[in-house]
Amino acid sequence: MRYNKTIYLISTTITQDEYLNEVEERTERKVFANENSIGSSEYYNAASQGLRPEVKFEIRSIEYKGEKEIKYPATEDGDIYNIIRSQKMGARTILTCERVNADV
């Protein structure tokens, strides 16, 4: 299977600065993925739980380290998505994501 899309997996760590203030550090890691569509039953089941899945990506399981966000498209002004579900299926992992809305 071809991994022809580029996404960034985003991890967040909390550290302390020299004044002991908590500082959030975000690091992005580039991975290749396949983009999949959200099925209608999956969409409506998630919507009943208050979730809005918009896109699914398939990546290699070895590349996923439990990140909670992705950036796609993998550009400077790409959109940030929350990972609302990760499903490991052997050598591949499916990430179901919803767009982070700045207006909420």
Side-chain angles (χ1 to χ4, degrees):
M1 186 161 251
R2 245 178 161 165
Y3 291 87
N4 59 358
K5 301 286 183 184
T6 304
I7 64 172
Y8 283 100
L9 295 172
I10 302 171
S11 59
T12 305
T13 56
I14 305 293
T15 59
Q16 290 184 338
D17 65 9
E18 63 272 11
Y19 304 108
L20 301 179
N21 296 318
E22 290 187 351
V23 178
E24 183 179 278
E25 294 181 22
R26 297 165 61 92
T27 54
E28 298 178 353
R29 194 164 44 87
K30 179 177 167 181
V31 297
F32 295 99
N34 291 320
E35 185 175 3
N36 298 326
S37 61
I38 303 291
S40 60
S41 64
E42 181 179 14
Y43 177 83
Y44 290 113
N45 287 337
S48 70
Q49 301 294 318
L51 302 172
R52 298 167 302 171
E54 293 187 33
V55 67
K56 287 197 309 190
F57 291 100
E58 176 185 327
I59 63 171
R60 293 176 183 90
S61 292
I62 197 165
E63 294 178 323
Y64 184 60
K65 308 286 187 230
E67 291 87 353
K68 302 293 183 199
E69 295 178 316
I70 67 165
K71 181 165 72 170
Y72 178 77
T75 62
E76 189 68 31
D77 57 344
D79 293 322
I80 302 296
Y81 292 83
N82 285 329
I83 299 172
I84 58 176
R85 181 177 185 224
S86 64
Q87 182 181 12
K88 185 175 180 179
M89 298 167 46
R92 60 192 178 104
T93 297
I94 306 295
L95 303 175
T96 305
C97 307
E98 71 177 349
R99 187 184 321 258
V100 174
N101 188 351
D103 297 333
V104 175

